[in-house]
Amino acid sequence: DYKKCALINFVGNSIVLINPSSSPFLTLHAVRQWSNVPFFTVPLARAHGKSFAHRSELRQAKRIVVKLGSAVVTRGDECGLALGRLASIVEQVVLINRNGREMMIVTSGAVAFGKQRLRHEILLSQSVRQALHSGQNQLKDMSLPVLEARACAAAGQSGLMALYEAMFTQYSTCTAQILVTNLDFHDDQKRRNLNSTLHELLRMNIVPIINTNDAVVPPPEPNSDLQGVISIKDNDSLAARLAVEMRADLLIALSDVEGLYDSPPGSDDAKLLDTFYPGDQHSITYGTKSRVGIGGMEAKVKAALWALQGGTSVVIANGTHPKVTGHVITDIVEGKKVGTFFSEVKPAGPTVEQQTEMARSAGRTLASLEPEQRSDIICILADLLTERKDEILSANKNDMEHAVSTGRLSPAMLKRLSLSSSKLNSLSIGLRQIAVSSQDSVGRVLRRTRVANKLELEQITVPIGVLLVIFESRPDCLPQVSALAIASGNALLLKGGKEAANTNRILHELAQEALSIHGVKDAIQLVSTREEVEDLCRLEKMIDLIIPRGSSQLVRDIQRAAKSIPVLGHSEGICHVYVDHEASVDKAIKIIRDSKCDYPAACNAMETLLVHRDLLRTPLFDQIIDMLRTEHVKVHAGPKFASYLTFSPSEVKSLRTEYGDLECCIEVVDSMQEAVDHIHKYGSSHTDVIVTENEDTAEQFLQQLDSACVFWNASSRFADGYRFGLGAEVGISTARIHARGPVGLEGLLTTKWVLRGEGQTAADFSEQGSMTYLHENLPVAQVLPGHRTTS
């Protein structure tokens, strides 16, 4: 923090600030050597002169300029200010400022505010008779003189500043007004004075609010910028000039469009550019200017590129959208994918949007392949897992060593990250199961109906489209999900954790190698750029289904972020084992041990053990406790269980806890029905088990319990796609639509209706028509894609 730096020397206009902690051995002699260097300060976070290369680096921005365009500040009627938007913007600026960042605002709005005031004064000055003669409904349409912009600015600037001051005062934040013209930047003394004033305000944690002095501003200069100095023609160029002069890290330019499009935003094929590079200017077609203000997108881009060249990063975003206005600035500063980010560093590979388009295109070709061809691809991938196991295990070893050295992963996560020869062999076997099932997937006829004479209807299975699978730590997830996507004809976008980067890379290469045999290599893409999960969840126009594979926190975050894309998954795995009073001792001990201790980090591991009251103080209960103690399972007592004990384990904080470790809760219930009620109240609809020898009790439990998986006398750990014979799973779903439980190939298919006729119309079946509906069910004959059924 520059405020903590020690002032070492001051000579004329030269200032040297040194951070003692970073340069403790700096000598005074060395300081004297710098006395002739022009204005110099130790930067806030980085050496200025180089803009941020990636969005994620925006979190490091310490000095930020926020430019509020006329369309942001002005109401839709162009007469007056949008007070709600301004209030939310002020709140965000204060929040960021209190987080230790220096904030400056370049604002428009004086002309609009002044126009509102002057119009009001003119209307009041008209005679009452004239107003009444016009009629109440025509009052707003009364002829008003054309208001000169400079006069409006003069009348509106004081009110605009008073409004800002009142809003910031609500947050105990001080502001200062600065009015400038182009001449203030051409005169060296004025420019130094402006620079000095702004620095002093920022030093005192005051938010400067800067505007062009539109009351006296000279006519716009010709559209030319000489010797790299940008002319102040509008607030876009003013913001860019100030940002560079003040060595700001980030310039946020808010307008009434989402960002920069490759063609006018209103056109059908217009695409929002997430990132814009200086060399891409030739690919942009600009549209008309904003409804207010004198700038346009072309002016914004020119100013942004000028600022970028001067070392300031730039984001152009929408500051008028009601759903995002309240957090657009904070989102940008947090590095989220909002608006258009200007970067001088163009990545070597495709963007995630380009990857998604490539996957969708190749995925459609994949879906059109014959089932045997998709099966061949999966079998080749299964072979590659074993043939290239040394290469895979070597990459996995690097990931493991790095994870251990950093110490960021828990033992459970390290276990998930680790691969072995036996794991690869199991993966290969599972993939071959998927290959067999892929023979009867895409294009399978579910039902056939003769609607009327020579009018037949079929419902067939088809791929969902583009899948986004986000997974943590488990690289074995990549070939499993890839095989399921291939079998179901879906395009696939994969986002793995950084901890498995090396393993994921080689496994993805093998998947693409297998896909290449039928020319659909691009159907599976691995996102290796710095995309945040929340940014991927905003690609609602490109992604059809998101499948999270990881911690409950990851799933919850994705479900929260993916507001417009369906999410298949479960947020928690709070699984129960209920031991009935008629349970077998041996079965109960064996099932509880496996459910809790086999793999406690798994989502299908037991978290709560429900025990029938009659089992308390019996040998069976004692054996259960002894077994848990031997397995080093930490036990928490439920409220009812604790009431039976004089000295009990620590009482559970919540009955809705997923421990994910060698911990569990024990609670007592009076009956099977109470166990069902408890699970419905505290469970997560994942997997729940009953242990009993009474078949009637078991059947009631299986029928009444509304969970995705319900077992009788079997471990909860069986809730797995491989163990169910699905070959693998993309995840376990607790939703009540589409797919539930372990989701394999079937869960990645949807349906479409195919109607074959000979010119029939709906009018033919009306009361005056000549035809009637038949709706006769026909035998289902499985047909390959592109082939027609026969009745």
Side-chain angles (χ1 to χ4, degrees):
D1 190 333
Y2 81 98
K3 296 176 185 177
K4 298 178 183 176
C5 294
L7 182 62
I8 304 298
N9 197 13
F10 177 80
V11 180
N13 290 324
S14 301
I15 300 175
V16 181
L17 296 179
I18 302 298
N19 186 339
S21 63
S22 62
S23 305
F25 305 109
L26 190 67
T27 65
L28 185 60
H29 172 74
V31 174
R32 290 197 182 104
Q33 304 250 328
W34 290 349
S35 60
N36 293 322
V37 178
F39 184 84
F40 172 79
T41 59
V42 175
L44 300 171
R46 64 191 176 94
H48 193 80
K50 187 175 182 181
S51 59
F52 295 122
H54 306 281
R55 276 186 184 270
S56 59
E57 297 173 345
L58 295 181
R59 300 188 187 99
Q60 303 174 29
K62 291 291 185 180
R63 181 172 290 170
I64 302 168
V65 176
V66 178
K67 181 263 175 180
L68 306 178
S70 300
V72 176
V73 178
T74 307
R75 288 195 327 227
D77 60 5
E78 303 178 18
C79 186
L81 303 180
L83 299 180
R85 285 202 291 266
L86 280 179
S88 65
I89 287 170
V90 166
E91 184 175 23
Q92 293 172 79
V93 170
V94 170
L95 178 65
I96 296 171
N97 179 248
R98 288 179 177 175
N99 199 30
R101 294 179 169 93
E102 297 174 337
M103 303 297 294
M104 292 180 281
I105 295 178
V106 176
T107 183
S108 303
V111 173
F113 200 7
K115 185 184 294 185
Q116 181 189 38
R117 295 181 66 181
L118 292 180
R119 281 185 176 181
H120 184 67
E121 290 298 323
I122 291 171
L123 286 172
L124 289 178
S125 68
Q126 293 183 0
S127 67
V128 174
R129 183 180 303 170
Q130 180 181 358
L132 292 175
H133 180 72
S134 304
Q136 185 65 30
N137 293 333
Q138 299 176 11
L139 188 59
K140 66 176 67 176
D141 299 323
M142 291 173 59
S143 177
L144 292 172
V146 176
L147 300 176
E148 206 273 329
R150 291 193 183 92
C152 291
Q157 182 62 43
S158 60
L160 176 65
M161 193 59 211
L163 179 63
Y164 273 119
E165 186 172 355
M167 287 182 170
F168 275 99
T169 300
Q170 297 299 313
Y171 298 95
S172 301
T173 299
C174 187
T175 60
Q177 174 182 241
I178 298 180
L179 296 178
V180 297
T181 67
N182 206 13
L183 298 176
D184 296 318
F185 290 93
H186 287 304
D187 184 283
D188 288 343
Q189 184 60 48
K190 289 183 177 180
R191 196 174 75 252
R192 283 195 295 269
N193 291 343
L194 174 62
N195 191 298
S196 175
T197 300
L198 287 171
H199 274 91
E200 182 65 13
L201 292 172
L202 294 176
R203 185 187 69 81
M204 294 186 292
N205 207 32
I206 295 173
V207 177
I209 299 178
I210 305 114
N211 196 0
T212 52
N213 193 350
D214 293 324
V216 298
V217 68
E221 296 184 2
N223 188 25
S224 62
D225 297 310
L226 302 177
Q227 299 177 351
V229 178
I230 191 168
S231 299
I232 306 303
K233 310 181 188 67
D234 49 48
N235 276 348
D236 293 309
S237 53
L238 169 60
R241 182 68 186 263
L242 274 171
V244 174
E245 286 281 340
M246 293 299 296
R247 299 187 174 187
D249 300 300
L250 172 62
L251 166 60
I252 300 174
L254 298 182
S255 66
D256 58 351
V257 293
E258 305 300 323
L260 179 60
Y261 289 77
D262 58 359
S263 56
S267 58
D268 292 336
D269 298 328
K271 293 181 180 178
L272 177 65
L273 302 177
D274 164 60
T275 307
F276 184 72
Y277 308 98
D280 292 345
Q281 298 179 64
H282 64 280
S283 63
I284 303 299
T285 303
Y286 297 102
T288 58
K289 293 183 179 180
S290 169
R291 60 176 173 82
V292 289
I294 61 174
M297 185 54 72
E298 189 170 7
K300 290 177 177 59
V301 172
K302 190 172 186 179
L305 292 175
W306 191 89
L308 188 68
Q309 186 179 16
T312 297
S313 295
V314 183
V315 174
I316 295 177
N318 192 335
T320 65
H321 197 297
K323 291 185 177 179
V324 299
T325 302
H327 49 82
V328 60
I329 300 175
T330 52
D331 281 354
I332 291 171
V333 174
E334 289 173 8
K336 295 181 181 178
K337 186 174 284 189
V338 178
T340 300
F341 170 64
F342 285 70
S343 175
E344 291 187 300
V345 180
K346 194 165 187 175
T351 66
V352 68
E353 289 84 1
Q354 292 170 331
Q355 282 187 287
T356 309
E357 289 179 356
M358 292 161 58
R360 183 182 292 279
S361 178
R364 287 169 176 158
T365 304
L366 174 67
S368 68
L369 296 178
E370 299 292 339
E372 292 82 2
Q373 293 175 304
R374 290 194 298 274
S375 179
D376 288 343
I377 295 173
I378 299 170
C379 288
I380 290 173
L381 177 56
D383 291 338
L384 289 172
L385 290 178
T386 53
E387 292 172 4
R388 307 269 285 276
K389 67 177 181 180
D390 291 341
E391 193 174 344
I392 298 170
L393 295 177
S394 175
N396 186 247
K397 181 182 178 182
N398 291 336
D399 287 330
M400 289 290 294
E401 289 175 349
H402 183 264
V404 171
S405 64
T406 58
R408 294 178 181 173
L409 296 184
S410 65
M413 295 293 278
L414 283 173
K415 186 176 180 181
R416 290 185 177 188
L417 176 60
S418 175
L419 289 181
S420 62
S421 294
S422 60
K423 266 192 178 181
L424 292 176
N425 289 334
S426 296
L427 276 173
S428 181
I429 294 171
L431 263 57
R432 293 185 185 282
Q433 292 178 357
I434 296 172
V436 173
S437 62
S438 69
Q439 300 281 346
D440 183 27
S441 56
V442 181
R444 179 162 51 90
V445 181
L446 299 179
R447 68 163 60 94
R448 295 180 61 221
T449 304
R450 180 176 285 120
V451 177
N453 186 33
K454 296 184 179 180
L455 187 64
E456 293 184 4
L457 178 68
E458 288 180 346
Q459 184 186 29
I460 64 173
T461 57
V462 293
I464 290 174
V466 178
L467 311 177
L468 167 62
V469 177
I470 302 170
F471 57 101
E472 295 176 320
S473 294
R474 295 183 56 176
D476 54 332
C477 173
L478 194 151
Q480 290 176 335
V481 174
S482 297
L484 288 169
I486 295 167
S488 57
N490 284 290
L492 180 61
L493 203 62
L494 292 158
K495 172 65 172 175
K498 291 183 291 186
E499 64 279 355
N502 293 301
T503 316
N504 288 337
R505 185 180 64 253
I506 181 62
L507 291 173
H508 175 246
E509 290 173 1
L510 298 182
Q512 288 201 319
E513 183 177 331
L515 287 162
S516 298
I517 67 167
H518 289 298
V520 286
K521 173 184 176 182
D522 291 335
I524 297 178
Q525 297 285 331
L526 179 65
V527 179
S528 55
T529 57
R530 299 191 184 189
E531 299 295 329
E532 299 292 336
V533 169
E534 285 193 16
D535 296 331
L536 294 172
C537 291
R538 290 191 177 102
L539 300 176
E540 67 274 0
K541 294 182 179 179
M542 310 177 76
I543 293 171
D544 300 295
L545 179 67
I546 300 178
I547 304 171
R549 294 285 303 269
S551 66
S552 58
Q553 185 61 51
L554 170 72
V555 179
R556 280 193 297 269
D557 290 344
I558 292 173
Q559 289 173 333
R560 194 162 38 242
K563 297 177 181 178
S564 302
I565 308 176
V567 177
L568 189 153
H570 65 281
S571 59
E572 292 174 310
I574 304 177
C575 303
H576 296 74
V577 173
Y578 165 58
V579 182
D580 187 54
H581 66 289
E582 298 182 78
S584 161
V585 174
D586 293 338
K587 290 177 183 177
I589 297 296
K590 189 176 180 182
I591 289 170
I592 294 170
R593 178 188 286 114
D594 190 72
S595 295
K596 179 71 263 185
C597 307
D598 176 63
Y599 193 178
C603 61
N604 57 16
M606 181 195 79
E607 307 296 357
T608 299
L609 174 63
L610 299 177
V611 180
H612 194 284
R613 180 185 59 185
D614 293 349
L615 293 178
L616 292 179
R617 299 184 179 89
T618 66
L620 170 57
F621 184 76
D622 292 340
Q623 289 181 52
I624 291 173
I625 297 299
D626 289 342
M627 181 273 293
L628 293 174
R629 185 182 296 113
T630 301
E631 296 290 344
H632 305 290
V633 177
K634 183 178 180 180
V635 173
H636 302 275
K640 198 170 180 179
F641 179 43
S643 68
Y644 283 94
L645 305 173
T646 304
F647 300 100
S648 68
S650 61
E651 187 167 342
V652 68
K653 295 180 180 179
S654 171
L655 291 167
R656 291 192 178 95
T657 301
E658 180 180 18
Y659 298 99
D661 205 344
L662 286 175
E663 293 184 66
C664 74
C665 168
I666 296 180
E667 183 57 310
V668 174
V669 291
D670 292 339
S671 64
M672 180 276 297
Q673 187 60 53
E674 187 176 331
V676 170
D677 294 340
H678 177 102
I679 295 171
H680 282 159
K681 184 175 182 179
Y682 299 109
S684 61
S685 301
H686 192 293
T687 302
D688 299 289
V689 176
I690 182 172
V691 183
T692 184
E693 295 302 299
N694 188 310
E695 184 175 350
D696 291 337
T697 302
E699 287 301 327
Q700 289 181 53
F701 183 89
L702 299 178
Q703 295 300 320
Q704 292 183 33
L705 194 58
D706 186 22
S707 295
C709 299
V710 189
F711 300 163
W712 172 25
N713 286 348
S715 168
S716 62
R717 293 279 291 121
F718 277 108
D720 177 84
Y722 177 77
R723 297 181 178 113
F724 278 11
L726 304 178
E729 64 183 39
V730 293
I732 291 182
S733 172
T734 55
R736 285 169 171 79
I737 57 174
H738 187 50
R740 290 195 81 193
V743 180
L745 177 57
E746 293 288 333
L748 299 182
L749 295 170
T750 185
T751 63
K752 72 176 178 181
W753 297 88
V754 178
L755 187 65
R756 295 186 176 92
E758 294 187 355
Q760 294 90 339
T761 65
D764 294 332
F765 296 86
S766 65
E767 291 183 3
Q768 293 78 28
S770 59
M771 304 184 73
T772 58
Y773 288 109
L774 179 60
H775 292 137
E776 176 187 16
N777 291 330
L778 298 174
V780 173
Q782 299 308 319
V783 182
L784 298 180
H787 295 262
R788 205 178 143 174
T789 59
T790 57
S791 57

